[in-house]
Amino acid sequence: MFQTGKLKPNRSIGGLIVPLAALLLFGMSAFLFGAPTGFFVMAGVFGIFALYSLLVIVRTGNLGWLVICAYQVFAAVMLFFAAQYLAGTRQVREEWKIAWVTGFIFFGVVIIYLGATKRIKWRGREILELAAAPVEETGNGYTPRPRPVGRVEFSKQEILAFARFCARHLIAVVYVSPRQATFVPVRMGSEDRFLLRVGGADLDSTWISFDFDGDVSVHIAQKDHLDFIEPLSFDKLCESLGRLFIEFAEMHRRGEGVRIIDRLDALRMSYFS
Amino acid sequence: MDFRTAARLGSLLAKDYAEDVFDLLVNYRAISASEVAARLDLHIKTAQDFLEGLAELGILSKEEVLEKKRPYFRYVLEQERIAFDLDLMQVRRPPSAESLLLRIRERENAGARFSVARSDDFITAVTIWTGQGRERQERRIKLTVPQGKFLFHLPFPRAEALTVAEIMRKAGVEETLSPEVLDLVQLLDKYAVLEKV
């Protein structure tokens, strides 16, 4: 098990803001316009959540999010019926309760399983911890420039296959251009600004670029560098992050993709971090 | 001919009345500024400055004439041809061995902003801020591709410094391009973006 903890503890509640806001919206709409309206609003909110989950599935190919999308659609439908029952426009059916309870149990168990096994977890924090693990030198030296790491002998197809693997396992959001594939490690709670982004990667974020000619370069955002407890040597950190991804790509090429996941899981980070 | 002389001569020849003045200088034995001004309908100061400029360059000679107690100059053409022979290589800065062996890296907290090419393998421009407070000014330096590749491989602050030659080798920049690379190094050193170690 790695010596973890070079990053500051995660105290961000960014990922909770949207669900809490939805809850508040439900409460206020119920209070102002009545309980049926509140449930209609909540059904609409779950519908929007389902569309967002669909976007995640399209962008990453992660099947765990298919379950979440299905749950959100299920919840939206159930809430829609609940609203109608409360409004009296439809007669209450016992079968609704059966559907609600069984569906809730099914999705609850499956989603908890997916969360516990980290199949729906964004791995940005693990990536940064693994990159920082071999770096002992401190001294800052931050610069906004990207750092060339070296050359690799991967074909375009191998790089794209590795990109699909990283996207599917939520290791990074991948942006593919005619010249390169850019991997952006994403942390839990901040994935929306990368998924909703149109065009190429945000060059101010942390990224690792694999040029199809073989050049690898790395950029670490100042925000991420400042998130380490100590001011780690920026040059060494960039090199380490680049080497980490090169190592991952080599492992994937050898058919050892599962070992990449094992290394990330070995850090034993909480789902919410 | 040096740059300054060539520039001065060029600016004189570029005047729209230059050919007319030379017409007079070639066809008259000697002529004064007032005669040129009257003949070509120019201000006397204009004619005087033009003729003095040519005299300073040796194209004309001037003789002082005393007439009616007021001395003045008459200008005589000394050259039948004006040839521009400007050796551009006089401003060439060949790279010295010492300059290529300079060990450099980016200076910490230099405050410069680097614009990276979309292909992420070279820097397209460097933006530097100079001055303080209200006098703060932004200067954007657009780079050539070799310069951009060189800068892309410049060692980070506090990283191990490399020589200019080593960085050029890493960046795949040919040695024949070293004058423009060294020009960039000089410029960035002037603005404290990089440091010599």
Side-chain angles (χ1 to χ4, degrees), chain A:
Chain A
M1 188 177 152
F2 282 88
Q3 286 284 66
T4 57
K6 288 197 175 179
L7 280 168
K8 293 172 190 168
N10 181 23
R11 294 200 174 93
S12 166
I13 60 161
L16 293 174
I17 295 292
V18 170
L20 289 174
L23 198 62
L24 179 66
L25 187 65
F26 166 65
M28 291 310 296
S29 51
F31 173 68
L32 292 169
F33 306 108
T37 307
F39 276 87
F40 271 125
V41 166
M42 209 51 186
V45 167
F46 268 93
I48 293 168
F49 285 169
L51 285 173
Y52 175 77
S53 299
L54 197 59
L55 175 68
V56 176
I57 296 161
V58 165
R59 285 289 262 118
T60 66
N62 181 280
L63 294 179
W65 275 84
L66 193 58
V67 175
I68 293 175
C69 184
Y71 162 68
Q72 286 160 345
V73 171
F74 165 78
V77 169
M78 291 290 116
L79 287 165
F80 177 76
F81 275 98
Q84 290 197 314
Y85 294 153
L86 283 170
T89 52
R90 201 186 275 265
Q91 232 176 353
V92 181
R93 292 175 59 196
E94 284 301 311
E95 289 82 356
W96 179 87
K97 291 179 190 170
I98 297 168
W100 175 247
V101 169
T102 54
F104 191 77
I105 291 171
F106 169 76
F107 285 113
V109 168
V110 173
I111 290 172
I112 288 171
Y113 166 77
L114 290 173
T117 54
K118 301 192 180 72
R119 286 174 201 227
I120 49 173
K121 184 188 185 302
W122 288 95
R123 305 294 202 143
R125 199 173 168 84
E126 285 95 323
I127 293 293
L128 289 175
E129 282 285 5
L130 284 177
V135 179
E136 297 301 331
E137 295 95 331
T138 55
N140 200 3
Y142 175 77
T143 175
R145 280 191 296 135
R147 188 195 191 283
V149 175
R151 282 189 70 86
V152 293
E153 298 293 325
F154 295 123
S155 67
K156 182 178 175 179
Q157 287 69 32
E158 285 168 339
I159 294 172
L160 290 176
F162 175 58
R164 285 192 294 273
F165 173 85
C166 286
R168 201 164 52 245
H169 292 276
L170 307 184
I171 293 170
V173 172
V174 186
Y175 301 85
V176 179
S177 74
R179 280 197 54 136
Q180 76 228 65
T182 306
F183 298 76
V184 180
V186 171
R187 297 201 235 182
M188 285 299 290
S190 61
E191 64 270 18
D192 52 325
R193 69 185 181 93
F194 296 101
L195 292 169
L196 295 172
R197 185 179 172 82
V198 178
D202 177 8
L203 295 179
D204 291 331
S205 63
T206 296
W207 51 260
I208 305 94
S209 169
F210 279 69
D211 192 310
F212 294 137
D213 291 334
D215 293 312
V216 180
S217 51
V218 165
H219 173 265
I220 294 182
Q222 188 173 31
K223 181 173 154 299
D224 288 333
H225 187 236
L226 290 172
D227 219 21
F228 288 98
I229 297 169
E230 291 194 50
L232 299 176
S233 163
F234 190 72
D235 179 60
K236 298 289 182 208
L237 190 62
C238 286
E239 187 181 1
S240 178
L241 179 60
R243 298 257 163 249
L244 179 72
F245 263 74
I246 291 171
E247 191 187 340
F248 280 179
E250 281 165 356
M251 287 164 80
H252 180 262
R253 184 165 64 167
R254 291 195 300 266
E256 294 172 6
V258 69
R259 296 268 179 250
I260 300 172
I261 306 303
D262 291 342
R263 277 188 71 178
L264 296 171
D265 288 344
L267 294 175
R268 307 246 175 122
M269 288 197 165
S270 134
Y271 170 81
F272 297 102
S273 66

